[in-house]
Amino acid sequence: MDPARIRIYERWDGEEDLLAFRGAGPSDGQQAAIVDADVKRYDISSVGEP
């Protein structure tokens, strides 16, 4: 584990909400603070209780 690493996981209600958020992108200050990024997108067909 790297104590300096921040992992962010996001879950969106729908494609429209995701695109509205992602379309803006990070501010210049946030972008300058990002050292590295590895972005993945997973499309999950369903989620339920075990």
Side-chain angles (χ1 to χ4, degrees), residues 23-49:
S27 68
D28 291 341
Q30 289 172 327
Q31 187 65 42
I34 296 172
V35 176
D36 187 23
D38 182 16
V39 178
K40 301 283 191 263
R41 177 181 175 144
Y42 297 91
D43 291 315
I44 300 173
S45 61
S46 66
V47 175
E49 298 298 322

Side-chain angles (χ1 to χ4, degrees), residues 12-30:
W12 295 90
D13 289 330
E15 180 79 11
E16 186 175 295
D17 296 323
L18 169 65
L19 295 177
F21 176 79
R22 289 285 178 212
S27 68
D28 291 341
Q30 289 172 327

